[in-house]
Amino acid sequence: MNDREDFDPILMFFITFFFGGFGVHHFLRRHYGLGVLYFFTFGLMGIGWFIDTIRAFIAMFKTSDEPRRDGRRCRQCGRRIEPSRNSTLCAHCEEKMEQEYLQISKHFTRVIDEVEKGQPHLEGYLRRFDILNKDVEQM
């Protein structure tokens, strides 16, 4: 997760200013190691707190239209996506999704075979799969 992602810079400045000595701003950003370190050393004896407060103050004045350095993130796991990819998923999650889709399609191929062999109770199940399959193909 990006340090500034999902947090209002003004709110983060005030949290850092008032509670930064206890590492609260690091816990919010999920930097638990730094949060614990700040908590037990009172913001690295005030020096770390002071630097973080200045950084948070500067972040308040940065405009949101500045390009982000980290690029796009995967909607599944949060990893960075290469700029050349046109997907909203990283390569790892996309491959995982394709494998799951193949397993599901193999399963339903067996169901189709069973329906063709004369098991009519599976026809409703097959109709629902057909609708689901069309939705997945449109994605």
Side-chain angles (χ1 to χ4, degrees):
M1 185 161 103
N2 185 9
D3 285 350
R4 293 179 184 91
E5 193 173 25
D6 298 331
F7 295 111
D8 180 32
I10 296 170
L11 177 65
M12 283 308 294
F13 168 73
F14 284 110
I15 289 172
T16 304
F17 184 77
F18 290 110
F19 304 108
F22 302 108
V24 172
H25 61 296
H26 287 297
F27 285 113
L28 287 174
R29 292 179 178 152
R30 297 183 181 157
H31 299 157
Y32 301 118
L34 280 173
V36 170
L37 180 68
Y38 271 51
F39 183 78
F40 286 112
T41 62
F42 192 70
L44 300 174
M45 295 184 215
I47 297 170
W49 167 81
F50 183 71
I51 291 170
D52 289 348
T53 302
I54 291 173
R55 292 169 97 190
F57 183 75
I58 291 169
M60 283 193 320
F61 296 104
K62 286 189 176 182
T63 59
S64 61
D65 58 338
E66 290 180 15
R68 291 173 54 184
R69 283 185 238 143
D70 67 341
R72 297 178 305 135
R73 299 261 179 194
C74 175
R75 65 181 164 90
Q76 192 75 17
C77 67
R79 292 182 185 146
R80 270 189 234 168
I81 299 177
E82 298 85 29
S84 60
R85 291 184 62 85
N86 291 329
S87 176
T88 58
L89 297 172
C90 67
H92 176 264
C93 289
E94 196 168 90
E95 181 180 327
K96 185 177 172 184
M97 184 178 281
E98 286 175 12
Q99 289 174 355
E100 290 173 359
Y101 180 73
L102 286 174
Q103 287 178 348
I104 291 170
S105 61
K106 285 179 186 178
H107 171 72
F108 282 109
T109 302
R110 285 190 303 245
V111 171
I112 290 170
D113 291 342
E114 290 179 15
V115 168
E116 289 175 352
K117 290 179 184 175
Q119 296 184 4
H121 66 280
L122 296 174
E123 288 182 18
Y125 186 63
L126 189 59
R127 276 191 224 105
R128 285 185 294 225
F129 167 69
D130 191 39
I131 293 169
L132 177 66
N133 192 26
K134 287 177 184 176
D135 289 344
V136 169
E137 287 176 358
Q138 291 176 355
M139 287 175 40

